[in-house]
Every structure is written in structure tokens, then in C-alpha cells.
Amino acid sequence: MSSPDEIFDPELKLYESRKSVFPKAVNGKFRRLKWVIMAITLAIYYVTPWIRWDRGPYAPDQAVLVDLANRRFYMFGIEIWPHEFYYVAGMLVMAGIGLFLVTSAVGRAWCGYSCPQTVWTDLFQHVERAIDGDRNAQFKLQDAPWGPKKIGKRLAKWSVWLFIAFWTGGAWIMYFADAPTLVVDFWTGQAPFVAYATVGVLTLTTFIFGGFMREQVCIYMCPWPRIQTAMMDEKSLTVTYKDWRGEPRGSVKKAEAQPGSFGDCIDCNQCVAVCPTGIDIREGPQIGCITCALCIDACDSVMEKVNRPRGLIDYATLEDAELEKAGKAHNPVLKTLFRPRTILYFSIWGAIGLAMLFAVGNRTRIDISANHDRNPVYVQLADGHVRNSYTINLRNMENRPRDMIIGMTELKGAVMWSNAGSREGAGQTLVTKVPADSVARLRLYVAAPGDGPVREDFALTVTAADDPEANDIDEVFFERPETGE
Amino acid sequence: MSEKKRVDQPTGTETVGHEWDGIEELDTPMPRWWLWTLYATIIWAIGYVILYPAIPMLNSASEGLLGWTSRGEYAQAVSARETELEPIRQALVSTDIRKLHGSPELMQQAVEGGRSAFKVHCVQCHGSGAAGSKGYPNLNDDDWLWGGDLEAIEYTLIHGIRNPDHDQTRFSQMPAFGRDGILQPGEIQDLVSHVRVLAGREKQSAAATRGAVLFEANCAICHGPDGTGDRTQGAPNLTDAISLYGLDRASLTDTITNSRYGVMPRWGQRLDSATIRMLAAYVHSLGGGEKLPALEKTAATPVESDGDEQS
Ligand code: SF4
Ligand code: SF4
């Protein structure tokens, strides 16, 4: 057993405190790309719920809406019902394969540019720099004793963080209800408890994860890095420090003094200073690297200053690295991006997408599902007929009420009526009104003469009264008692 | 013990000091916040144990500071639900049962309530699908001994059938023609033949013709001269396809010889009137209910607009 002293003994290193990471501001093409992606992803996230879409009087006019209460998922012109959940499953599969595709081509680009953890951390870091100053000022402020200035700055920073975090949590719930209504309800205390709870939890997690845990989430909590590594191979582009070109390191002065004995790296540590996860890329590929390429920007600007060729840190594949070491030319980037593996992923991804589009375009918005009631299986009627009953669900997936005609395929001498009608008014078909966007359930009785096969297959059909093209069919059976006393 | 631990060169991290087939494990320290999280969960657990019943004692568990019990929670849920249902029960009792179908929503609620009550009180005799069995009527069919409209069903439920010590109960008694020596065994066989002819199970025969005469003299007063029965005394219609005790010769012989005396409890004594109404509505809804004027073509009763039913 370890004594408490041992546990806290820094020498033993059972546990390690987080080392502060204050990445330095950097400029360059990857930084600009990051800005653009950040702007786009944040805009999509915050704005989407506010896009309006006419859904008729039966659903909120919201383009993207996850309506949990009524179990509907709306996405622009597409409306997904629970029994169509395979579309959502299909989208998840596409997202998975999309990730394979991106990772096999350009490594952990998801991590570096579009992961919410990355985007919000980045945002929080910009706030931090705006208030506390750049890297060195931040270190200084951290070490400074608590005084009015430090307290003021901390309060300012945390308030802005909290505000962003709250805004983030608030935007999330907008996806689950009509956004304008929800905003009013939220501020007047009318929103459901779960709305407040969700905003609370998301505010707290955004604040903590984006403000304080940052790279710890990527390194210790996130499963992606482990999975993504498995999707990469020697042809995947990844951020690489070209040690064969950079080592041994030496300052510009040293290199001038002893020409020929130093590599291109001047050991300025800029690549380490800008790294949002606080790692040293010169130690080689590692789990902490999210492939954000900010170190490339940093090093490129250094190389420019000292008049050495750019690309000491660069996007390169393992294969490129070997080729370059051997003094040969790189594979062309296009050949790296379009190779059997990526093409295969892309084809699968595209095929699923096309299949889903096709399926969505061709689905009918009317549906019957019939279940033969088993308890009892049949009922003997006084006049010698036999009655079977069926539980019918009629789905009207359009946003207007519709008359639906229930019919049946040949079942000799049979008539049908529903739980709201009676046998006197029975006939070969039955018309039922189904409200907009809903499922109507009814019990359907079918009576047929008692002399016939013990089990007879037939089908129940439904057709929209206003459109014979909209129809559906479900196969059922009719059961009779075994004859004899 | 303390053999010198190796330091892994590329990472600068110590190894745990073991080696498996040349593979060594890095002794990477856990993050400190992880430790604090662990402590926080322990504190949470302790608080939980103090607030809620958790620690096993000799006879029961510790009570917990909040005084929470699962039974208490259950009782609360039940009483909350009952309060919720009270208006429906009120409305049910105060509506004339003959007009119940005029309010489809109330009818629907009554049917659903009756479905549950049926599972508790009625399935023992009538079966979970209300299909009955020999001697226990099938409540799904359209043949009723005592009447099958809502009112008649409710009456049967309240007062029962052939219930002893109750003067409003549905009552009738068929003589035990054989046991009491009213008819001779041969005569009974003739009668059986006639009844089977009535039910369409046998062709006309000499025995049946003899039986017809006996029927006229002994049975017609209850079952009617044509055998179509009489609901005021629960005398079954002998000409339809449905029979409570069977139309084979053996069953009929037994029925005529010893008579039948089916009994149903009077539920008016044990269930409140709202529940009885629900039961009546449910039984009526099973497909054979009578005298319910067809409603408009809006036949379907919309259920909660979910679509999770199996297709
Ligand atoms: S090493 Fe470079 S690419 Fe990797 S996370 Fe740090 S800055 Fe980004
Ligand atoms: S930024 Fe470039 S030159 Fe500076 S230490 Fe990093 S690799 Fe070397």
C-alpha cells in the first residue's frame, strides 16, 4: 500500500498536475484555414435552429428540428419518423465512413479543425489572449500574486467564457423545440425542466472543457485519437517534423560559426510555443498532436526570417518522409489523396448517400401496418360466420388530414368494419380520416363465411382518397376454427 | 523489489519494470484532476449513502436522512395518477350509460380503463382475451344470453348471474330433466337429436321428430317454440352457431340430464361504479357489443401520434 505521502510525492509521479499551456498567437495559411472553419462551424451551430421552413399548422416552422415529444426528426424537406430511423443510422454510417475517408487522406484533420472541443478551445484561447495578452503575459499573470488587476482580469475572462458557454448550451436546446417560442419560454420560466438542466450541464462542461481542461480532454478523455490512428497508414498526410533536415539543431549564430555541422532547425521553440496541446512535434508523431498545423505556420515564418526553405515542419506522409530521406522526389499530393483506399471509402460513402437520397425521394407518405390479433385468434359468430380482428396502424406522414380507404384483397364473402362501426354497416372497404402527421390506430373486424380453409392469406391495403398513387399494403391472414364438433 | 527502473529513451518516461516478450509498459502518471474526480465520486457516494437507505442493518437497511422509500415513491405515483383519473371517473359515473358512445373520448378512456380492470378481475374465468371456454362465455362474439348492449352488460356486471342471496341478480334455472326423472334417457336422446337439427348439426330424423314433440312440451316455454331463446331469462338461442356448453351429443345429453347452473359474481359489491362502467365499455368494445349506432366515418381513434409500433 502506498502511504498518502507516497501518493503525493512528486518524485514518484503517480499523478501529474496539468502543465499550463498558453499557446502563442500565430499567423499563416493553416491559421487562416482554422479561422474560416471555426467561423463556418460556429455559424452552422448557432444559426441552424433559426432557419424557418413552412411545415403547415401541425409542426413548428423550423428547418432542423428533433421533436422528441412527437418522435419526429425534421431536416429541411426531409421528415423522418421513428420507423424510418434507418435513415439516421445511414447518416451515422456515412459520418463514420466520412471520418475514415478524411483520416486516411489527411490524418487527424477532424481533430485539428472541426472537433467541437478544438473549436471551442480555440475560441476560448482567443478570448484569453484578448484579455490576458499573449503567451508570455499569460505566464506572467499566472505567476503574479492575486491582486485587483489579476482578479479583474480573471473575472473578465471567466465571465466571457461563461457567456460563451451559456450561449453554446442555449443553442443546443434550440434544436429540440421551436426556437423562438423556446427562447421566450426559457426567459419567462415556462420551459420544461430538462431545458434548464441541459443548458446548465452544457454551460458547465463547455466552461470547464474549453477553459480549463482543453488538451486534457483530447489526451485522456477522447477515444478518437486511439481510433484515428488505426485508420492512418504510411500514405496518410500528417504533420511531420523533418528531423533528417532539421537535426542537429543549432542557432543561426552557431550555424554561421560552424557551417555544415547543423541542420535547419534553429531551436527557436516557436513550434512548441504555438502548439495548443503543448507538445513538441520534434519528438515525432504522438498522441497529443491534433494535426492542427499551427506549428507549420510558426516554423514557416521562422524559416522565412532566417532565409531557409520553408517546410521544415510540413504535411507529409510516412512514405514521403522515407523518399525525402533517400533524396528522392515526393509522391505528388494528388496521388496521395486519390489512392485505392480513399477511393474505396469515397465510393462506399457516396453509394450509401445516393441510396439514401433515392430512398427518401421514393418513399410514400402513407403506411398501413396490420397485426392479426391472437387473443382470441378467431371468433365464431352466431350466424356461422367467423370473425378475425386486426390492429391497424395507419400513418399519415403528410402535414394535412387525409381520408384513407382501407380495402382488402380477395377473401371470399368477407366484410370489414372497425371498432367505431358495426357489422350492419360493414362493407368491402372502409374510409377513415387520419389527422395530419400522426398515426391512427383502429381495430378492424373482418367477418367471412365459416366454411373455408383453416388459414387463408390475404392482404389489407390503404389508399389515400385524394391520390390513388399513395398506397400501401400489408399481408395478413384469416383464421378459421378446425371444423368438426 | 526495488530493481532499478528503466527510462524509455524516446519519451523520457520510466517503465513499470516488467517485460513481456520484449515489450515494456510505460509508467505514465495519471493526471491529477483524475484523482480529484475519483475523490469527488467517493464523496458523492458517501453523501448518497447518508441521504438514502443503503447500509444493510439486521432487519432492514438504514433509513437515510431524506426518509425516501421506494414504496413511498410508488404510493405517491399511484395517488397522483388517481387524482389525475378522478375527473374521468366522475364523468363516467354521471353520464347515462346509454349515451356513453356520444362522447367517443370518454368511451375510449372507459375502454382503456376497463381493459386493465378486466385483467385483474375477469380473466380468471373469461380468459385474458375474453374468449371464455366451455361454460364461460366468449365475450368477443355476438351472442348474448342476457343482452349485449352497454346497459345490459353493466347490469350483469353489477348484479351477477344466479348469485345467491341477491334478489336483483340475473336468475333462471333449467330443470334437470334426467336427474329429476322428468324425461327418460331415450326421450332425452330424441331431444338431443332435435336440438342438433335446430342448430344445423344433424339432418332431420325420426328421433328428431319425436324430440320436437318433447321440445314443444318441455323446452319451448323458455327457449321459444322455434328454439331462438329468451333473453329475459337467459335462455340460449339454440339455432345459432354458438353454444356455451357444446352441441355434440355427449354435452347436450349432459345438459338436458343434469341442467347447467352457471354463476357469475356480482361485482357491484366489490367494485365502484366507475370501474364497472369501464368494464362494461371494454366488454362491449370487444366486437360483439350491441345497439351502438354507427358513428360517422371518422372511424379511427387517434392514438398518441407516435409511430414506434412494429410495422
Ligand atoms: S504539434 Fe503542431 S500540429 Fe500537432 S497539435 Fe501541436 S501545433 Fe498542432
Ligand atoms: S519552429 Fe521550426 S526552427 Fe523553430 S524550433 Fe520548431 S522546428 Fe525548429
Side-chain angles (χ1 to χ4, degrees):
Chain A
M1 277 282 302
S2 324
S3 74
D5 275 358
E6 276 177 331
I7 291 178
F8 291 108
D9 180 357
E11 288 304 306
L12 268 170
K13 279 230 190 133
L14 273 176
Y15 301 98
E16 198 174 49
S17 308
R18 173 173 184 260
K19 292 186 196 71
S20 304
V21 179
F22 295 122
K24 191 168 146 50
V26 61
N27 248 320
K29 59 178 177 188
F30 291 109
R31 178 63 255 183
R32 282 193 293 276
L33 179 62
K34 227 166 131 70
W35 275 118
V36 170
I37 293 178
M38 180 177 167
I40 294 173
T41 48
L42 286 178
I44 291 175
Y45 176 70
Y46 289 117
V47 171
T48 305
W50 296 92
I51 305 173
R52 302 288 94 188
W53 193 268
D54 183 18
R55 299 214 179 278
Y58 306 98
D61 289 343
Q62 189 154 319
V64 176
L65 178 68
V66 183
D67 188 350
L68 288 179
N70 298 310
R71 289 181 261 179
R72 296 275 192 292
F73 178 38
Y74 301 97
M75 216 168 120
F76 298 95
I78 300 171
E79 180 182 329
I80 291 176
W81 285 49
H83 69 288
E84 298 173 307
F85 202 75
Y86 44 78
Y87 288 120
V88 178
M91 285 195 283
L92 290 177
V93 170
M94 280 181 76
I97 294 173
L99 199 64
F100 291 4
L101 173 61
V102 170
T103 308
S104 64
V106 288
R108 288 174 62 187
W110 163 260
C111 289
Y113 295 94
S114 44
C115 171
Q117 174 65 20
T118 294
V119 171
W120 265 276
T121 299
D122 203 22
L123 185 61
F124 276 36
Q125 280 168 349
H126 291 305
V127 171
E128 194 165 43
R129 269 185 223 123
I131 292 171
D132 294 348
D134 206 359
R135 182 175 161 89
N136 294 335
Q138 289 182 26
F139 271 119
K140 234 198 229 150
L141 189 66
Q142 168 157 285
D143 296 337
W146 285 93
K149 190 174 157 225
K150 184 166 174 178
I151 292 174
K153 285 202 163 177
R154 282 290 185 263
L155 280 182
K157 181 171 82 175
W158 291 340
S159 323
V160 179
W161 281 358
L162 256 184
F163 178 76
I164 297 174
F166 171 74
W167 206 252
T168 306
W172 178 257
I173 60 170
M174 297 303 153
Y175 285 86
F176 298 87
D178 182 43
T181 321
L182 185 58
V183 169
V184 175
D185 287 353
F186 190 88
W187 290 110
T188 50
Q190 310 281 304
F193 172 75
V194 57
Y196 297 102
T198 308
V199 172
V201 168
L202 288 181
T203 304
L204 202 70
T205 45
T206 309
F207 183 67
I208 295 176
F209 287 3
F212 302 98
M213 298 202 44
R214 296 183 175 175
E215 81 290 344
Q216 302 272 306
V217 174
C218 308
I219 295 172
Y220 294 107
M221 291 166 69
C222 181
W224 256 179
R226 281 93 186 154
I227 299 168
Q228 302 220 18
T229 330
M231 295 172 203
M232 294 171 65
D233 57 23
E234 63 286 346
K235 289 194 162 105
S236 310
L237 278 168
T238 186
V239 173
T240 311
Y241 164 71
K242 298 178 176 167
D243 53 355
W244 61 94
R245 185 184 136 189
E247 304 289 317
R249 305 166 196 169
S251 64
V252 183
K253 252 191 215 147
K254 277 194 198 160
E256 271 168 6
Q258 298 164 261
S261 46
F262 290 101
D264 275 351
C265 175
I266 60 167
D267 213 4
C268 64
N269 257 326
Q270 289 306 302
C271 51
V272 180
V274 299
C275 177
T277 65
I279 60 168
D280 186 348
I281 190 64
R282 294 170 302 171
E283 284 170 5
Q286 50 206 291
I287 199 162
C289 175
I290 56 172
T291 333
C292 64
L294 294 185
C295 51
I296 300 182
D297 280 345
C299 189
D300 276 354
S301 63
V302 171
M303 289 296 110
E304 211 152 298
K305 256 181 239 154
V306 298
N307 272 323
R308 290 179 188 171
R310 299 162 67 114
L312 173 55
I313 305 178
D314 204 359
Y315 261 114
T317 69
L318 260 180
E319 231 177 48
D320 288 342
E322 296 304 326
L323 286 173
E324 210 177 293
K325 266 185 234 178
K328 291 184 203 141
H330 276 195
N331 288 319
V333 177
L334 278 185
K335 214 179 140 194
T336 310
L337 292 180
F338 299 98
R339 58 198 153 95
R341 183 165 172 163
T342 54
I343 291 169
L344 180 69
Y345 284 150
F346 184 78
S347 323
I348 299 174
W349 185 84
I352 298 175
L354 284 178
M356 291 218 312
L357 274 183
F358 184 75
V360 165
N362 280 292
R363 59 194 183 154
T364 50
R365 306 314 282 154
I366 185 172
D367 181 272
I368 184 172
S369 77
N371 274 313
H372 185 270
D373 290 351
R374 289 167 193 78
N375 190 8
V377 173
Y378 53 77
V379 173
Q380 174 79 61
L381 297 179
D383 65 355
H385 277 61
V386 172
R387 192 189 76 210
N388 281 210
S389 54
Y390 305 85
T391 303
I392 309 277
N393 284 316
L394 293 174
R395 284 198 193 89
N396 175 12
M397 295 180 255
E398 303 222 328
N399 59 15
R400 64 199 157 99
R402 270 188 133 172
D403 277 334
M404 296 194 182
I405 308 165
I406 305 174
M408 54 187 160
T409 60
E410 70 237 61
L411 186 64
K412 226 172 138 216
V415 290
M416 62 163 78
W417 68 98
S418 80
N419 51 324
S422 66
R423 194 171 165 200
E424 287 76 59
Q428 299 279 323
T429 56
L430 188 76
V431 181
T432 271
K433 193 181 255 350
V434 185
D437 266 327
S438 61
V439 186
R441 179 188 297 180
L442 62 143
R443 210 145 175 254
L444 189 74
Y445 297 112
V446 175
D451 49 340
V454 170
R455 188 181 165 124
E456 210 171 331
D457 290 323
F458 73 112
L460 290 165
T461 59
V462 66
T463 314
D466 53 5
D467 178 13
E469 293 287 299
N471 56 61
D472 190 34
I473 185 163
D474 198 8
E475 283 169 24
V476 282
F477 56 86
F478 190 85
E479 191 114 357
R480 292 186 178 86
E482 309 256 355
T483 40
E485 304 278 76
Chain B
M1 269 293 301
S2 70
E3 59 183 284
K4 198 82 197 105
K5 281 180 186 165
R6 230 172 55 76
V7 171
D8 172 60
Q9 281 315 321
T11 59
T13 312
E14 275 186 7
T15 66
V16 291
H18 310 294
E19 189 200 308
W20 297 271
D21 296 337
I23 300 172
E24 286 172 279
E25 190 184 359
L26 296 186
D27 195 5
T28 310
M30 295 290 286
R32 182 47 54 83
W33 59 261
W34 185 90
L35 187 68
W36 293 124
T37 310
L38 176 66
Y39 290 154
T41 57
I42 292 172
I43 290 165
W44 175 275
I46 292 171
Y48 202 92
V49 163
I50 294 170
L51 292 178
Y52 287 93
I55 307 161
M57 309 294 225
L58 269 188
N59 294 318
S60 62
S62 59
E63 275 183 11
L65 287 186
L66 292 184
W68 179 93
T69 64
S70 50
R71 271 165 212 253
E73 189 175 283
Y74 172 71
Q76 226 171 14
V78 169
S79 81
R81 181 80 182 127
E82 256 156 26
T83 325
E84 215 175 287
L85 289 179
E86 199 43 42
I88 296 174
R89 305 178 78 93
Q90 293 285 346
L92 262 181
V93 177
S94 59
T95 308
D96 182 349
I97 189 152
R98 283 164 302 189
K99 297 196 181 118
L100 202 55
H101 64 271
S103 152
E105 198 180 325
L106 190 59
M107 185 73 170
Q108 181 65 23
Q109 280 158 337
V111 168
E112 293 310 326
R115 194 189 305 281
S116 317
F118 191 88
K119 295 265 174 347
V120 179
H121 303 289
C122 313
V123 294
Q124 293 81 349
C125 292
H126 292 283
S128 61
S133 60
K134 188 168 177 173
Y136 299 92
N138 182 346
L139 304 175
N140 294 280
D141 66 27
D142 55 350
D143 189 25
W144 299 90
L145 293 174
W146 300 92
D149 59 33
L150 274 169
E151 206 181 358
I153 295 173
E154 189 189 35
Y155 189 93
T156 304
L157 273 158
I158 295 175
H159 302 293
I161 292 168
R162 298 188 190 94
N163 219 281
D165 333 317
H166 184 54
D167 52 5
Q168 276 174 286
T169 193
R170 302 247 193 227
F171 192 85
S172 66
Q173 192 166 8
M174 172 167 159
F177 289 97
R179 201 175 59 212
D180 295 347
I182 305 169
L183 295 174
Q184 297 312 305
E187 293 176 312
I188 289 174
Q189 286 315 309
D190 291 345
L191 207 43
V192 166
S193 298
H194 175 66
V195 171
R196 282 175 57 81
V197 169
L198 282 180
R201 305 284 165 130
E202 244 176 50
K203 286 204 199 72
Q204 193 55 263
S205 64
T209 314
R210 288 195 301 275
V213 178
L214 290 163
F215 188 88
E216 183 69 43
N218 295 288
C219 317
I221 186 155
C222 292
H223 293 281
D226 51 358
T228 48
D230 176 8
R231 282 186 175 180
T232 56
Q233 38 190 331
N237 180 348
L238 302 175
T239 63
D240 66 20
I242 299 170
S243 159
L244 191 49
Y245 291 97
L247 289 167
D248 56 304
R249 292 202 74 94
S251 299
L252 282 171
T253 307
D254 189 20
T255 303
I256 298 171
T257 307
N258 298 312
S259 144
R260 306 282 186 182
Y261 194 82
V263 171
M264 165 162 156
R266 60 184 167 108
W267 293 99
Q269 204 181 11
R270 292 167 56 179
L271 301 177
D272 60 273
S273 35
T275 307
I276 288 193
R277 240 164 222 193
M278 290 180 181
L279 279 170
Y282 172 66
V283 169
H284 189 273
S285 79
L286 287 171
E290 291 175 344
K291 279 195 203 151
L292 184 72
L295 291 171
E296 290 309 284
K297 284 188 166 174
T298 49
T301 333
V303 284
E304 67 296 4
S305 53
D306 59 0
D308 63 339
E309 300 83 15
Q310 299 296 310
S311 340

